[in-house]
Amino acid sequence: MGYGNVSERLRQPPQVGVSVVILALDPDSEHGRLWLPLVRRVRQPFLGCWALPGGDIRGDRTLAQSAYEALESTTDLHPSYLEQLHAFGGPDRSRGGLPMVSIVYWALVGEAEAGDFAERDNVRWFPESDLPSLDIAFDHREIIAYALARLRTRIEYPDIAARLVGPTFTLRQLHGVYEAVTGTVLDLPNFRRKMLASGEIEETGETLREGRHRPAAVYRYVPRRDAGERPYAYALTGDRLAELDARARSAAAAMSPGPGASSGDDALSALTTV
Amino acid sequence: MGYGNVSERLRQPPQVGVSVVILALDPDSEHGRLWLPLVRRVRQPFLGCWALPGGDIRGDRTLAQSAYEALESTTDLHPSYLEQLHAFGGPDRSRGGLPMVSIVYWALVGEAEAGDFAERDNVRWFPESDLPSLDIAFDHREIIAYALARLRTRIEYPDIAARLVGPTFTLRQLHGVYEAVTGTVLDLPNFRRKMLASGEIEETGETLREGRHRPAAVYRYVPRRDAGERPYAYALTGDRLAELDARARSAAAAMSPGPGASSGDDALSALTTV
DNA sequence: GCAAAAGTGTTTCCATTACACCCATGA
DNA sequence: TCATGGGTGTAATGGAAACACTTTTGC
């Protein structure tokens, strides 16, 4: 493919890719801080820098599918929430290469899952407040800040917090997530009432002992089928996500030689774009 | 450019473009309904159908600039608000051609400006509730619905309504906009207090006579510099928009032979993409 | 019994709602 | 002076915030 000099390249229509900001609760931190996985780049530009997991967009996939596949193949995680964040573009983000537009998604994964993740050389989790100081590729630092801001405003609903904490939880745990994410202090009794009144939370019948005191009731999140929670929400949750998951699995199976061997390191080899 | 058969084309990385949903108040309608301009396509696919104004993305422009230029060159309008809506993609929207991703913006223009617009063959304004029934290109009908839904949820702030109605307005006019957009009935006295309490509205000192009764005070919208109105807002307003406008003008001047002749029909020749 | 967290009750406060009312103006 | 919309006052409502309180458990 012959392209001209730099200024000619800049006038070309840009390439498109997807990236994903994957947010989870750090299970090692007692006070529930957020962390996220970054991938080390193995190509120029920004070789060796940390970048958001990403990949190409294929014409025969939806954008969400492309995002899911990028996420799943680099980190082996299965998000409980996936939503388009923003499309980023412009002259600042090309760095001498071809201009690039990234459609960025943000994803949430449950605490348990983020914990049982085995770290690899080219993927590492960083606490939200302790990102690498210099070597973050492109404008990914600002994109992360943007995703965190979105998370903080979206968390008014039980939904988001429940997806961060995992399938079941006590009200105190959920409360902790809210406090960690918003950085504020919330009255626990009022919080409890509000969550229960939302109708999106349901007792499992189990209880959880955690010290020499009264055990707490365990709840699960139940999306209300009220329909119109939020009038326009292109977020993927529940069944829609399972669908994407099934697709990703069958695609992986088709590419791998034997069954069950679909998560080799070749699939993990630093899928990153701008 | 040699591309293979259909299924091979579908696997190619998609092209990118911008489209804009331009919303305004229909000045002919007394009860303040919304309308928007669509452009007739002069190319396959969907030749002859109505489509959102759109254009290409250039690597040396920001996405918002590209959206502004698409909007300005097709309709000669100058929006008072411009914000990214969503990126649309996926296999459904290629129609046998190359796969296409559209980054869609939504824009607001003031009532006065939308009124003084001269209709042209290939651009026509349609009331929101009376879009062409069949011949809308691609998925643009759903995109319009999505933009309208966004407008309806965003309008809680004085901001959005003020930009629809124009630079100055009476509280009753503003009230009418709210009722038209939300489709609900609002108590006028309470509405008035709420707007004034927001601190984002300021008396101009003028009054407006409209019948054989007391004249109404005229107000203007004053964005509060409180900063954090909305925590992350990539919306363009005020100065930032003026900047885009200046850029678009100078670009147009550079392309046209004489001064002031920059809005010939060549610039209007149906810039539409998916 | 005692410590600690689970869970409940109650009061206060504030923003929204509903609606009655007065005011300014032109005909 | 009267019709009409501009503009103000105020009581009722409902939900969020603050915090005192009771209950259940392990040791």
Side-chain angles (χ1 to χ4, degrees):
Chain A
M1 305 190 188
Y3 285 104
N5 60 32
V6 170
S7 74
E8 279 174 36
R9 279 205 301 270
L10 278 179
R11 288 169 165 266
Q12 296 297 318
Q15 303 294 111
V16 224
V18 275
S19 298
V20 191
V21 183
I22 303 165
L23 300 170
L25 290 172
D26 181 352
D28 297 337
S29 158
E30 198 43 62
H31 294 300
R33 70 180 172 186
L34 292 163
W35 68 347
L36 56 135
L38 296 177
V39 177
R40 198 186 279 284
R41 282 183 64 85
V42 295
R43 273 187 290 186
Q44 288 293 358
F46 291 104
L47 190 148
C49 288
W50 295 102
L52 294 171
D56 293 326
I57 291 174
R58 270 177 47 177
D60 55 353
R61 297 272 192 277
T62 66
L63 297 179
Q65 270 165 28
S66 297
Y68 190 93
E69 283 170 21
L71 179 168
E72 201 256 358
S73 65
T74 45
T75 62
D76 258 335
L77 292 167
H78 303 279
S80 51
Y81 187 87
L82 184 67
E83 184 183 354
Q84 193 180 113
L85 183 65
H86 198 79
F88 295 87
D92 297 347
R93 53 198 326 276
S94 63
R95 278 292 170 119
L98 280 169
M100 187 80 198
V101 167
S102 291
I103 298 175
V104 180
Y105 278 72
W106 66 296
L108 302 178
V109 308
E111 191 166 14
E113 207 179 346
D116 103 303
F117 161 86
E119 253 189 46
R120 293 182 175 85
D121 280 356
N122 45 4
V123 182
R124 189 187 299 170
W125 289 75
F126 293 91
E128 165 229 348
S129 56
D130 193 23
L131 296 174
S133 54
L134 291 171
D135 42 355
I136 291 189
F138 307 103
D139 51 359
H140 288 191
R141 183 188 303 279
E142 293 92 72
I143 292 177
I144 292 167
Y146 186 61
L148 288 167
R150 178 94 116 212
L151 170 64
R152 282 191 252 274
T153 64
R154 283 282 153 102
I155 203 169
E156 286 163 30
Y157 319 87
D159 170 334
I160 300 290
R163 292 183 200 286
L164 268 176
V165 78
T168 64
F169 46 84
T170 68
L171 285 175
R172 177 172 287 268
Q173 285 169 342
L174 201 62
H175 177 249
V177 173
Y178 271 79
E179 289 199 337
V181 169
T182 63
T184 62
V185 176
L186 291 171
D187 183 82
L188 184 52
N190 291 332
F191 175 83
R192 139 197 253 45
R193 265 188 294 259
K194 198 171 171 182
M195 288 303 110
L196 293 174
S198 78
E200 303 197 79
I201 263 176
E202 178 185 87
E203 256 182 292
T204 64
E206 279 146 47
T207 56
L208 181 68
R209 269 179 292 107
E210 262 196 314
R212 59 175 197 282
H213 56 77
R214 175 175 177 178
V218 174
Y219 293 83
R220 82 168 64 85
Y221 172 69
V222 189
R224 294 191 303 167
R225 34 200 86 272
D226 269 63
E229 357 174 334
R230 267 156 288 156
Y232 56 93
Y234 272 55
L236 300 184
T237 56
D239 293 349
R240 303 276 316 272
L241 276 173
E243 224 174 86
L244 292 191
D245 197 38
R247 266 174 202 273
R249 278 171 200 283
S250 65
M255 290 195 307
S256 72
S262 64
S263 62
D265 255 345
D266 49 17
L268 290 169
S269 59
L271 286 172
T272 359
T273 44
V274 176
Chain B
M1 305 190 186
Y3 283 104
N5 59 33
V6 169
S7 74
E8 278 173 36
R9 279 205 301 270
L10 278 178
R11 287 169 164 267
Q12 296 296 318
Q15 304 294 111
V16 224
V18 276
S19 298
V20 192
V21 184
I22 303 165
L23 300 171
L25 290 173
D26 181 351
D28 298 335
S29 158
E30 198 44 62
H31 294 302
R33 71 180 170 186
L34 292 163
W35 68 347
L36 57 136
L38 296 178
V39 177
R40 199 187 279 283
R41 282 182 64 84
V42 296
R43 273 188 292 186
Q44 287 291 1
F46 291 103
L47 190 148
C49 289
W50 295 101
L52 295 171
D56 293 326
I57 291 174
R58 269 176 49 174
D60 56 351
R61 298 273 193 275
T62 66
L63 297 179
Q65 272 165 27
S66 298
Y68 190 94
E69 283 171 21
L71 179 168
E72 201 257 356
S73 64
T74 44
T75 62
D76 258 333
L77 292 166
H78 303 281
S80 52
Y81 186 86
L82 184 67
E83 184 183 353
Q84 194 182 112
L85 182 65
H86 197 78
F88 295 86
D92 297 347
R93 54 199 324 277
S94 63
R95 278 289 169 119
L98 279 170
M100 187 79 198
V101 167
S102 292
I103 299 177
V104 180
Y105 278 72
W106 65 296
L108 302 178
V109 308
E111 190 167 14
E113 206 179 348
D116 106 301
F117 162 86
E119 254 190 42
R120 292 181 176 86
D121 281 356
N122 46 4
V123 182
R124 188 186 301 170
W125 289 75
F126 294 91
E128 166 231 348
S129 56
D130 194 22
L131 295 174
S133 53
L134 290 171
D135 43 356
I136 291 190
F138 305 103
D139 50 359
H140 288 190
R141 184 187 301 279
E142 292 91 72
I143 293 177
I144 292 166
Y146 187 59
L148 288 166
R150 179 93 117 214
L151 170 63
R152 282 190 250 274
T153 63
R154 283 284 152 100
I155 204 170
E156 286 163 29
Y157 319 87
D159 169 336
I160 298 290
R163 293 183 199 287
L164 268 175
V165 79
T168 64
F169 44 84
T170 66
L171 285 176
R172 176 172 288 269
Q173 285 170 342
L174 201 62
H175 176 249
V177 174
Y178 271 80
E179 289 199 336
V181 170
T182 63
T184 62
V185 176
L186 291 170
D187 183 83
L188 184 52
N190 291 332
F191 175 83
R192 144 200 259 16
R193 268 187 291 258
K194 197 171 173 182
M195 288 303 109
L196 293 174
S198 78
E200 303 196 81
I201 263 177
E202 180 184 85
E203 255 183 292
T204 63
E206 280 146 46
T207 56
L208 182 68
R209 269 180 292 105
E210 262 195 315
R212 59 176 195 283
H213 55 78
R214 177 174 176 179
V218 174
Y219 293 85
R220 81 168 63 84
Y221 172 70
V222 189
R224 293 191 305 167
R225 36 200 86 272
D226 270 61
E229 354 173 337
R230 267 156 287 154
Y232 54 94
Y234 272 54
L236 299 184
T237 57
D239 292 349
R240 303 277 316 272
L241 275 173
E243 223 174 87
L244 292 192
D245 196 39
R247 266 174 202 272
R249 279 171 199 283
S250 65
M255 290 195 305
S256 72
S262 64
S263 62
D265 255 345
D266 49 16
L268 289 170
S269 60
L271 286 171
T272 0
T273 45
V274 176

